[in-house]
Structure formats: structure tokens, C-alpha cells
Amino acid sequence: MVVNEGQQKADNDPSEEVVTKEQANDQTEAAESAPQSGAGEVVDAGETAPENTEQPADQAAAAAGEAAEDIAEAEITLEHLQRELEAARDASLRAQAEAQNARRRAEQDVEKARKFALERFVSELLPVVDNLERALESTADGGGEIKLIADGVDLTLRSLLDALKKFNIEQIDPAGEPFDPQLHQAMSMVENPDVEPNSVLHVMQKGYTLSGRLIRPAMVLVSKDPEGAA
């Protein structure tokens, strides 16, 4: 009786069979759609893979470009620094040379000042020597007391000249020597066939040097060729 009732209910209720078929269709569609969605995911993964591969390559290229720019800037900076170093080295060498030249000039100035410090004093003292020499010339022919005075004047003159020599003051007495325009001043030229032309015939005033520097030239008479001489 129970079986029959169940069968009768099943036969009498067709909605249960319809529901069962719809559920079966849904399950079939879900099963068919599951592989398709999986395949879609695989395709998407395959498409995005190249993008992930290209992005690091672009970053590496950009990094390489930046590194090249940094190297170029570093080279420019290095060249600039090298030029500045060369300029500083040249300036240092020039400064050293200028310092050496300045020191050398200062030493020369000091040496000149030491050598020629007496130049003005000697220039003022030379007229005294000239007057003593003139006094001797004027008393050369005298006798008696005049001769005694002349001897005293001569002794004084010699002592004064010796004192001048101690300070490198030398007398220029070029009588009979060739005329030297560096040391002599020609006051006049006289014809004289007995001597060579341009020879000193007479010294009117003696000259003097201080440590080789001319303080006063010797004033002289110079010989020349007679007129009409061959």
C-alpha cells in the first residue's frame, strides 16, 4: 500500500520531475561554465605576463640612461676641476717667481745702498781734494817756508786719498791714456802730431769712482789729427 501510494503521488505530481530537470540543467551549465572561466583566467595571466617582463626592462633602460648622464656630468666636473688645478698651479708658480724676483731686487737694492751710501758724501768731499791738489801745484816752485807748507799739504792729500781708497773710492788720472767716453769728459781737442789721435794730453780735473760706479768723470784735453794730414 505504501509503495503504491508513493508511486501514485509521483505519478500524480509532475512538478517534482520538472524541478529535477531544471536543477540538472543548472548543474550542467555550471559544470560547462567552470572550465571556460578557468581558461579565461589562464588567457588573462598569459596576456599580463609580457607586461610584467617589459616593465623591468624599461626601468633598467631608464637607470642606465641616468647613470650615463651622471658619468657625463662627472667627466665635465672633473675637466673643470683639472683646469682650475692647472690655473692654480700656474698662479702659484708665478707667485713664487715674483717673490723670488722681489727678494732678489731687494737684495740688490740693499747691496747698492750699502755700496753707494757714501756717494753723496764723496761728491761733497771731492772739491776738498781738488783744492789740495791746486795748492800743491801753486807751491811747486816755492822754497823755504812755502816748501814746508807744500809738504804738509801733500801729506794731508795723501792721507785723504788713502782714506777714500778704504771705502772703494778710486781716482781716475788718465794722462797719456786713450780717451774713454765712459770715464772721461773731453773739454777740448788739440792737434798734436806727436801722439796718437784720441789720446788724453792733459787732465784738467781728475775723476773718481765708487765701487766701480762713476761719481765724476775726468775732465781732459784730447789729441786729434792735424788738419790736412794724410
Side-chain angles (χ1 to χ4, degrees), residues 165-188:
K165 286 182 180 180
K166 292 179 181 179
F167 293 93
N168 297 322
I169 301 169
E170 300 291 337
Q171 191 178 68
I172 302 174
D173 188 5
E177 298 178 1
F179 176 75
D180 185 358
Q182 301 296 327
L183 300 174
H184 310 152
Q185 182 178 354
M187 304 304 294
S188 179

Side-chain angles (χ1 to χ4, degrees), residues 19-218:
V19 171
T20 301
K21 291 180 180 180
E22 290 178 354
Q23 291 178 353
N25 291 332
D26 292 338
Q27 291 177 358
T28 302
E29 291 177 358
E32 291 178 354
S33 62
Q36 291 178 356
S37 61
E41 291 179 357
V42 173
V43 171
D44 294 338
E47 291 178 353
T48 55
E51 294 180 357
N52 295 333
T53 304
E54 292 177 357
Q55 186 174 4
D58 294 340
Q59 293 177 353
E66 292 178 358
E69 292 179 357
D70 293 339
I71 292 173
E73 292 179 357
E75 291 178 350
I76 295 173
T77 303
L78 179 60
E79 292 178 358
H80 181 68
L81 293 176
Q82 288 177 345
R83 287 195 297 268
E84 289 184 350
L85 180 60
E86 291 295 331
R89 185 181 292 110
D90 293 341
S92 177
L93 293 175
R94 285 195 298 269
Q96 291 178 1
E98 290 177 359
Q100 291 178 356
N101 293 334
R103 183 171 60 254
R104 191 178 297 110
R105 286 193 298 269
E107 292 175 353
Q108 292 176 354
D109 292 341
V110 171
E111 184 66 17
K112 288 179 181 179
R114 185 184 65 81
K115 284 183 177 180
F116 307 116
L118 298 176
E119 183 174 357
R120 184 175 179 180
F121 173 73
V122 173
S123 299
E124 296 295 332
L125 190 60
L126 292 182
V128 178
V129 178
D130 296 337
N131 291 333
L132 292 175
E133 289 178 345
R134 292 190 188 98
L136 284 176
E137 291 175 359
S138 63
T139 58
D141 297 333
E145 294 181 358
I146 296 177
K147 175 110 175 23
L148 294 175
I149 295 173
D151 291 341
V153 172
D154 183 60
L155 181 61
T156 303
L157 177 59
R158 291 179 183 276
S159 297
L160 181 57
L161 292 176
D162 290 340
L164 294 177
K165 286 182 180 180
K166 292 179 181 179
F167 293 93
N168 297 322
I169 301 169
E170 300 291 337
Q171 191 178 68
I172 302 174
D173 188 5
E177 298 178 1
F179 176 75
D180 185 358
Q182 301 296 327
L183 300 174
H184 310 152
Q185 182 178 354
M187 304 304 294
S188 179
M189 298 189 71
V190 180
E191 295 179 1
N192 191 332
D194 298 331
V195 297
E196 292 291 331
N198 294 323
S199 297
V200 176
L201 298 175
H202 177 67
V203 179
M204 302 174 61
Q205 187 181 69
K206 295 177 182 178
Y208 291 88
T209 60
L210 173 61
S211 299
R213 175 187 286 184
L214 183 65
I215 298 176
R216 189 182 73 181

